[in-house]
Amino acid sequence: MYVLRRKCYASSFSLVTARRALHPSLRPMLCSRTAAAAAPSSNIAVPPVVNSSDSLDRQPQRSQDVPPTRWLAQLDMPTQLRADADSEAELLSELPQGELLETFRKVEECDAEEEWLLVRAPLEETVEVMSERPLSYQVGWIHHPTTALKTVRFQLGDKLAARVDVPNHPVVELLRYFPPWRGDKLPAWVPAMCCEIHTGKVGGVVKRGRFMVQRPSGAVPERLTLEDAMLQSPKQRARNTVLAGLLGLGFSAALGFALHAWAWTQDKVPKIGVKTWPKLVGWLTIIVLVLSPAAIWPCYSVANSPGATFCAVAGLNMLFYADLFAE
């Protein structure tokens, strides 16, 4: 009896270990089969365990290796949303050009013979800024041969950065008084340099072709609705941060060299003392190899704007210059 009991414990432990090692999507299946096998032979119905994460209303948390269960696509032309896969079915809504839809298959993988495509159209135009409530959608059918759809670059669960322009930023207001832009529209790079950047994930879509960016609970704001042009992938944000840091490095190097050149014009080039060229070369080497990379990485981690990254790198380098060459 003791040996039989130990075997039962060992088999139960192996089953629990295997269940934990399985993929989350296979655990409900294993649980339901285990419950059915453990049920007595009196034909008592054991309800299967349903994984709540498979619900269509929950926002998915997708990794880069797992394909999404739903795809986001954009309309290139207006179309009609029908209640059934029939041209005579009830008309649910008229979908305008540029509207974002959720499809259950990738558009490029659909066969040309498929006449109707099942989609989910957004019902909400505005969202609550501080909320995690699932978005509302309307399920219907669109006529595939007469509809132009394209898969968008951001899909559900993708990590991205949302750019929010600040039109009344002090730097933006100051640049409006400069002669090139006085009374005229500022170039596109000016708001992009002084913007706010919020990192998050694609949690869904809303009307007028906008993505809903879901941020962690407690963040301010928790939700943003923006178009594709105002969104950046992590690689794109990293490139912009590095570019801004390099510009700050170049500005500080030019300013330091100009200060040295001005000091040299006042007198002959000193061979000893503070304003010597070997110390200038040493300062340039340190800011290129140490200070600037050390300043760029934290700026990317905290999602600084390009303008803030530029000022952080240039300010840190010039602070080291003032400390090194102060008389």
Side-chain angles (χ1 to χ4, degrees):
M1 178 64 68
Y2 176 74
V3 176
L4 181 59
R5 184 177 301 174
R6 289 192 61 182
K7 290 183 178 180
C8 292
Y9 288 161
S11 61
S12 300
F13 177 76
S14 301
L15 181 60
V16 172
T17 305
R19 186 187 307 170
R20 290 178 179 177
L22 282 175
H23 193 273
S25 61
L26 300 179
R27 291 177 187 172
M29 186 185 303
L30 177 60
C31 294
S32 60
R33 290 184 178 179
T34 306
S41 58
S42 57
N43 296 330
I44 298 178
V46 180
V49 179
V50 180
N51 190 357
S52 61
S53 63
D54 295 337
S55 173
L56 292 179
D57 293 332
R58 290 181 60 87
Q59 304 301 332
Q61 300 296 329
R62 182 173 70 90
S63 64
Q64 297 297 331
D65 299 330
V66 181
T69 56
R70 302 187 301 277
W71 296 85
L72 297 182
Q74 190 173 29
L75 288 171
D76 285 341
M77 57 182 298
T79 189
Q80 296 178 341
L81 185 69
R82 298 282 179 176
D84 201 357
D86 190 358
S87 58
E88 302 298 330
E90 178 188 358
L91 178 62
L92 298 179
S93 63
E94 295 280 351
L95 301 178
Q97 181 180 358
E99 191 77 340
L100 291 172
L101 305 175
E102 290 187 4
T103 63
F104 296 91
R105 290 184 59 187
K106 196 173 182 179
V107 177
E108 289 76 11
E109 297 177 356
C110 296
D111 299 333
E113 292 78 10
E114 295 184 13
E115 187 175 359
W116 294 91
L117 185 64
L118 182 64
V119 299
R120 298 207 314 169
L123 289 176
E124 300 185 27
E125 188 169 356
T126 59
V127 297
E128 300 175 6
V129 177
M130 306 296 292
S131 174
E132 294 183 355
R133 180 182 59 85
L135 299 177
S136 301
Y137 295 88
Q138 188 174 35
V139 181
W141 298 81
I142 60 175
H143 195 240
H144 188 208
T146 60
T147 303
L149 277 173
K150 63 178 180 181
T151 303
V152 294
R153 58 170 179 159
F154 294 115
Q155 296 297 319
L156 294 172
D158 283 350
K159 295 182 179 180
L160 46 75
R163 185 188 114 191
V164 179
D165 291 343
V166 184
N168 56 350
H169 194 278
V171 176
V172 177
E173 294 294 335
L174 180 63
L175 290 177
R176 296 184 191 276
Y177 293 98
F178 279 71
W181 308 300
R182 184 179 300 172
D184 198 1
K185 186 178 180 181
L186 293 174
W189 61 268
V190 174
M193 288 288 289
C194 307
C195 65
E196 294 181 357
I197 297 180
H198 304 280
T199 57
K201 294 184 178 181
V202 178
V205 294
V206 294
K207 288 187 175 182
R208 293 188 293 164
R210 293 171 298 159
F211 294 84
M212 191 278 289
V213 180
Q214 183 70 53
R215 306 186 66 215
S217 179
V220 181
E222 288 186 1
R223 282 184 169 181
L224 295 166
T225 56
L226 296 168
E227 297 179 353
D228 181 85
M230 305 298 290
L231 303 178
Q232 301 175 0
S233 63
K235 290 184 179 180
Q236 184 180 359
R237 183 167 69 91
R239 287 195 298 266
N240 294 340
T241 304
V242 172
L243 178 60
L246 293 178
L247 291 176
L249 171 61
F251 174 79
S252 59
L255 182 58
F257 183 80
L259 293 175
H260 258 67
W262 180 81
W264 291 341
T265 57
Q266 304 301 316
D267 196 0
K268 295 181 180 180
V269 179
K271 296 182 179 179
I272 59 174
V274 178
K275 297 299 177 74
T276 58
W277 67 265
K279 293 188 67 174
L280 178 63
V281 173
W283 172 75
L284 290 173
T285 304
I286 293 176
I287 66 172
V288 169
L289 299 180
V290 180
L291 287 184
S292 295
I296 291 175
W297 173 248
C299 291
Y300 176 80
S301 301
V302 299
N304 270 359
S305 65
T309 303
F310 174 87
C311 294
V313 174
L316 182 62
N317 293 340
M318 294 310 300
L319 182 65
F320 180 55
Y321 178 92
D323 181 66
L324 189 63
F325 298 105
E327 296 182 358

